[in-house]
Amino acid sequence: MNMDSVNKWLTLAANVGVIAGIIFLGIEVKQNNEEIAAQSRFNYYQSRSENVDSWGQDKNTIDILLKSLTGFDLNPEEELMLTLRLQATIILWEYEFGEYVLERLSDEEMNPLDKKRIYDGWGEIGKVVWGTHKKTAPLEFVNWFEKNIVNADF
């Protein structure tokens, strides 16, 4: 075998190695994307679970919400506690929306009907909290929330 033939074979082997490396890189990127999506879904369910759990374990907040929904006046401390709890829930929904936009959450996981039912259950104080929150929230989330939660007609 002459030197020219050896160079051709080495070049061919190098090219095959490059192609194999690109294929391997593609497989790794795909697996990484799947792992990120799985982690995002885990975070979604964990944060939803923690939010629901925190509401269920905090009898004081439940009492304040019920007091508000049945027309009783809240004292300033109760109003602040309830406002902060509702704000935390809207912030969670804003996070979920960001994951939804990145296609890490499905339409079913986003579930605007469920969010609308919760939001409507908050009564007037929920509208006040949303009115305050939307002043600083990203416009894309505000538009989605207004369309799918505040003004939705399911």
Side-chain angles (χ1 to χ4, degrees):
M1 228 182 217
N2 63 22
M3 204 55 164
D4 188 43
S5 188
V6 170
N7 282 337
K8 286 181 184 177
W9 280 107
L10 289 174
T11 301
L12 177 63
N15 288 339
V16 168
V18 168
I19 291 170
I22 291 171
I23 291 170
F24 177 74
L25 181 62
I27 291 169
E28 288 295 314
V29 167
K30 183 178 186 283
Q31 288 175 342
N32 189 42
N33 287 344
E34 290 170 355
E35 189 175 316
I36 289 171
Q39 184 63 43
S40 179
R41 282 190 302 275
F42 173 78
N43 290 342
Y44 163 77
Y45 287 112
Q46 184 177 21
S47 62
R48 296 276 303 199
S49 174
E50 288 172 357
N51 188 24
V52 170
D53 191 45
S54 68
W55 277 89
Q57 290 185 12
D58 188 355
K59 183 172 178 352
N60 191 35
T61 302
I62 292 171
D63 290 343
I64 293 169
L65 180 59
L66 290 174
K67 185 176 174 182
S68 172
L69 294 176
T70 54
F72 291 95
D73 290 333
L74 301 178
N75 66 43
E77 180 183 335
E78 291 170 330
E79 190 170 316
L80 178 60
M81 283 184 63
L82 186 56
T83 297
L84 293 174
R85 290 304 304 253
L86 300 181
Q87 182 73 19
T89 300
I90 292 175
I91 290 169
L92 171 63
W93 292 348
E94 186 177 328
Y95 162 77
E96 291 172 0
F97 175 77
E99 294 298 297
Y100 174 75
V101 168
L102 294 172
E103 297 180 352
R104 294 181 185 151
L105 292 179
S106 68
D107 292 334
E108 295 79 32
E109 289 167 320
M110 200 54 192
N111 196 355
L113 177 58
D114 185 42
K115 288 174 176 54
K116 169 128 180 93
R117 287 180 181 144
I118 292 168
Y119 174 78
D120 288 347
W122 293 343
E124 286 303 310
I125 195 163
K127 293 174 185 171
V128 171
V129 171
W130 169 244
T132 302
H133 183 83
K134 73 180 184 179
K135 293 175 185 174
T136 59
L139 183 59
E140 191 176 6
F141 173 69
V142 171
N143 291 339
W144 179 87
F145 197 90
E146 290 285 332
K147 177 183 175 190
N148 294 285
I149 309 300
V150 176
N151 299 315
D153 202 14
F154 289 102

